[in-house]
Amino acid sequence: MSGRAAVEGPDGKSRCIWPGTDPLYLAYHDTEWGVPEYDSRALFEKLILDGFQAGLAWITILRKRDSFRSAFAGFEPEAIARFTETDVQRLLGDAGIVRHRGKIEGTIKSARAYLEISERREFSDFLWRHLDGRVLQNAFRTHEEVPAETAVSKAISKELKAAGFTFCGPTIVYAFMQACGLVNDHLTGCFRYEECAVLARDTRVPA
């Protein structure tokens, strides 16, 4: 089956096709996407941002990421969980973020769910145990081979929703898994494929 494989950029490096030529997108692809993340707060931030992405392009969120961090108290769940209707109104008036009441209110609910989970276990472990703490190393050659969701993303989505998280359907969760390196979905022809595989092997896996 034919499909779109990794493409060579102006710097001579072959990459996944999705970043295109946007410098910000390329930097994100080259330094962040697919790197295994084990920090609970960082995982929470990315999951929330992926929820805000729903219906939009990720580059839109990426360009607003600093504004999101400022508006949402550095994505500290303890702070967000205390947000009130006054904060919701403030955020709805903030042109630096995506002004969507449902997603804003959902972020507050998700922060409270995060804190409840954290009383029992680390949020990082809550997520990584679905993969036994190990990065799933896929080996997709073309963009078309990469799935939009998987059985694991469906299972994580179900558990997150049961815990009280919002905007965390299986497709959103799989995009989150790719971004945070729970799976290595760089195409095999991408220069980052092996680099992220090495990072996965070198990073301490949570118990």
Side-chain angles (χ1 to χ4, degrees):
M1 180 183 295
S2 62
R4 294 169 292 172
V7 294
E8 184 175 318
D11 58 358
K13 293 181 178 180
S14 292
R15 293 178 174 84
C16 304
I17 66 168
W18 54 264
T21 59
D22 185 292
L24 182 62
Y25 225 1
L26 288 170
Y28 173 71
H29 168 275
D30 291 359
T31 62
E32 291 187 54
W33 196 81
V35 174
E37 179 62 74
Y38 298 100
D39 180 79
S40 291
R41 194 219 57 82
L43 288 164
F44 171 76
E45 173 181 329
K46 187 59 175 63
L47 183 59
I48 295 301
L49 289 176
D50 269 319
F52 269 98
Q53 180 198 353
L56 303 169
W58 173 244
I59 188 62
T60 300
I61 304 300
L62 197 58
R63 289 175 179 142
K64 293 176 177 286
R65 183 161 62 170
D66 286 343
S67 295
F68 268 106
R69 286 171 172 165
S70 177
F72 283 95
F75 284 102
E76 290 295 338
E78 294 83 0
I80 297 172
R82 294 192 296 269
F83 279 11
T84 65
E85 177 60 25
T86 299
D87 293 291
V88 173
Q89 291 300 323
R90 168 179 61 82
L91 293 165
L92 286 171
D94 189 340
I97 67 168
V98 174
R99 292 177 288 183
H100 183 291
R101 176 178 281 274
K103 293 177 181 179
I104 292 169
E105 292 178 341
T107 298
I108 299 170
K109 292 177 182 176
S110 294
R112 292 168 181 167
Y114 173 98
L115 295 180
E116 289 186 12
I117 290 171
S118 298
E119 290 177 358
R120 303 187 300 273
R121 67 173 73 203
E122 285 288 328
F123 186 63
S124 176
D125 180 55
F126 175 85
L127 297 167
W128 276 99
R129 66 187 177 82
H130 285 273
L131 293 162
D132 294 326
R134 298 181 179 87
V135 177
L136 175 60
Q137 299 290 341
N138 287 322
F140 300 123
R141 188 183 69 82
T142 67
H143 183 72
E144 286 72 17
E145 294 174 65
V146 182
E149 60 183 51
T150 65
V152 175
S153 78
K154 290 177 182 177
I156 294 176
S157 171
K158 182 178 180 180
E159 192 166 11
L160 285 168
K161 288 178 179 178
F165 276 78
T166 65
F167 291 93
C168 57
T171 300
I172 290 173
V173 168
Y174 194 67
F176 161 79
M177 291 171 63
Q178 293 172 310
C180 293
L182 279 77
V183 297
N184 182 1
D185 270 359
H186 281 284
L187 301 181
T188 54
C190 174
F191 84 97
R192 286 293 286 168
Y193 177 76
E194 184 55 35
E195 289 184 358
C196 284
V198 170
L199 286 173
R201 291 196 291 268
D202 290 347
T203 305
R204 179 181 295 275
V205 175

